Amino acid sequence: MGEIIVVTSGKGGVGKTTTSASLACGFAKRGKKTAVVDFDIGLRNLDLIMGCERRVVYDFVNVIHGDCTLKQALIKDKRFDNLSVLAASQTKDKDALTQEGVAKVIDEMRNEFDIVICDSPAGIERGAFYAMYFADRAVVVVNPEVSSVRDSDRVLGIMSSKSRRAEQGQTPIKEHLLLTRYSPDRVEKGDMMSIADVEEILGVKVIGVIPEAPEVLSASNSGVPVILDEQADAGQAYVDAVARLLGEDRPMRFTEPKRKGFFQRMFGG
Amino acid sequence: MGRRGDLATKSRDGAVFELRSGQFSLMVLAIRHLDLLQLQTELSDHVGSAPALLQGAPVVLDLNPLSQLADHGLLKDLVNRVHQAGLRVIALAANPGVEAAAVALGLPLLGLDRKRTRVIEEVPAIEAPAETAIEIEPEPAAARPTEITGLQPPLVLPGPIRGGQQVYARGRDLIITGSVSAGAEVAADGCVHVYGRLNGRAMAGAAGDLRARVYCLSFAAEVVSIAGNFKVFESAGRDIAGKAVEIFLDDGRLEIRPLKI
């Protein structure tokens, strides 16, 4: 039986889709049979970040409506043959999702894959609700700023009271925080919330810290998830996060301001 | 599989009714002495001083401060006099002794429902069942002091209570063994204890008990209310922010005192 992991946040623009794409590639690279599902019906994006937008024939809503089989709708990644993408519909809206329909697709995927990543839309409406409803684990993506932290708190509350695990009285969804767009320099100056601040407010441990870096944007634009950029700090930070999600112990990196060299310290710059 | 909230309303489109929980803030009229004539005079004056606000206003009649129970006739007289003074009694808050009299008057009795504790947005509750609490004491029932027979076990919930969640412990104390996030609401008819950071809103004595108190280990609350007397903390003073505090009513004024631990 595969594991369902929801990537969610409440707030928009914090890096959910970037994270979903990178975690999916990371798990696939570690040999896990992985699928990643776009729950943002009507605002399809994951296929772009994964670089398979020209190959979308059938989508999630088609599978729910029985227009095609799950197998026909899954798009195989060109880089990893154990990685598949299920795109969202661009023409439908979120009302196309029904509990029975989503349950059927998720259960089928659970049998087929080791890990299924559900990329949640922003907000707490239908799409976001179904993305988290069936989850076993949650990666809550949060930026180190107050509005993102508050929205994450709300989402954690909904997961703990309204998910299938909560309704059926099973062990709760396992919660992880992933801090993105982190800038150690700004934290040191006191402009940005620190890892400890966010952990304290939300009462959940951070599983990874992704530094704010220009490579993240260029990776998204070129359809190559940033985790595959081995030179980039952000890519390496995602590799570490995947390892921790697989139960490995890795020290946090890129969370301290970069030390300046001798000459820079002497002459500024 | 249960659907709820916004998802459930969809399927009920076209239905004749919608049943949902609502919260209203009500005035509570607490009766301290059973001097009916004086009550009517004072109450009439009071209503007359602010008729726009008070004339015809619904109130909950709180009989808890009375040491002696009102019998049927006395209760009926009391309610009539309150009506004549210009207020409308819509419910009673009292101990179980007046239940029969309340039923005869057609008034619901609040703060009495001992079996059911309502959690509005369901938080997985770890509740001490009433039966167990009683079984722990091996003494025969007759030997127990009478006050204890009405004792309700508190509603104990693990934290954190997240933003947007509401918890209400009806007719009992509420204990949160963790923090209360900003935007969360915790309420109880008894006292509210938060063994963590209190960031959201806390309401003690929700049915009008003036003796209820709020305790927390680290104070950062947005709003605190005791028996309807509330205070908004746009920013907590330095003497109490982040401190363990006790909040109580002192002659109708909300007092906050740091706890020396």
Side-chain angles (χ1 to χ4, degrees), chain A residues 6 58 60 63 65 71-72 107 118 144 147 207 219 234 252 254:
Chain A
V6 59
Y58 292 114
F60 193 6
V63 184
H65 287 169
K71 212 175 173 133
Q72 286 173 308
D107 286 343
C118 300
S147 56
I207 193 115
M252 287 288 174
F254 321 114

Side-chain angles (χ1 to χ4, degrees), chain B residues 205-224:
Chain B
D209 189 344
L210 303 168
R211 299 160 303 180
R213 295 186 176 210
V214 175
Y215 298 86
C216 67
L217 287 190
S218 174
F219 182 83
E222 297 158 353
V223 176
V224 174

Side-chain angles (χ1 to χ4, degrees), chain B residues 16-60:
Chain B
V16 183
F17 67 88
E18 184 189 15
L19 193 61
R20 56 196 170 89
S21 67
Q23 285 193 323
F24 304 91
S25 88
L26 284 170
M27 271 187 293
V28 175
L29 179 65
I31 307 296
R32 294 199 176 121
H33 318 285
L34 261 183
D35 188 337
L36 295 179
L37 265 177
Q38 195 190 347
L39 173 79
Q40 196 183 344
T41 326
E42 281 185 15
L43 202 55
S44 296
D45 287 351
H46 203 76
V47 172
S49 69
L53 187 68
L54 295 174
Q55 186 68 44
V59 293
V60 174

Side-chain angles (χ1 to χ4, degrees), chain A residues 18-30 32 34-36 46 50 80 82-85 115 117 227 242:
Chain A
T18 303
T19 297
S20 297
S22 278
L23 294 184
C25 286
F27 283 126
K29 208 171 177 184
R30 296 288 303 262
K32 299 285 180 190
T34 307
V36 56
L46 179 68
M50 292 295 291
F80 305 98
N82 58 344
L83 174 60
S84 300
V85 179
I115 291 174
I117 294 177
I227 195 171
V242 167

Side-chain angles (χ1 to χ4, degrees), chain A residues 99 153-154 157 161 200 202, chain B residues 1-2 122 162-163 165 181 197:
Chain A
Q99 180 143 336
D153 187 61
R154 179 88 169 99
S161 58
E200 203 220 318
L202 294 176
Chain B
M1 259 169 277
E122 274 165 35
R162 304 277 181 192
Q165 290 184 315
S181 296
R197 206 164 21 86

Side-chain angles (χ1 to χ4, degrees), chain A residues 28-101:
Chain A
K29 208 171 177 184
R30 296 288 303 262
K32 299 285 180 190
K33 197 174 178 204
T34 307
V36 56
V37 186
D38 192 347
F39 273 78
D40 204 347
I41 311 299
L43 294 167
R44 192 179 102 190
N45 279 155
L46 179 68
D47 51 320
L48 281 172
I49 313 295
M50 292 295 291
C52 64
E53 72 276 12
R54 317 279 300 175
R55 294 193 288 136
V56 178
V57 181
Y58 292 114
D59 58 52
F60 193 6
V61 174
N62 291 136
V63 184
I64 288 175
H65 287 169
D67 306 335
C68 65
T69 63
L70 174 63
K71 212 175 173 133
Q72 286 173 308
L74 286 170
I75 305 159
K76 270 220 183 303
D77 188 85
K78 286 196 168 159
R79 295 155 294 217
F80 305 98
D81 58 9
N82 58 344
L83 174 60
S84 300
V85 179
L86 182 57
S89 169
Q90 185 71 325
T91 49
K92 306 288 194 313
D93 67 22
K94 292 183 173 73
D95 290 341
L97 295 179
T98 60
Q99 180 143 336
E100 296 73 25

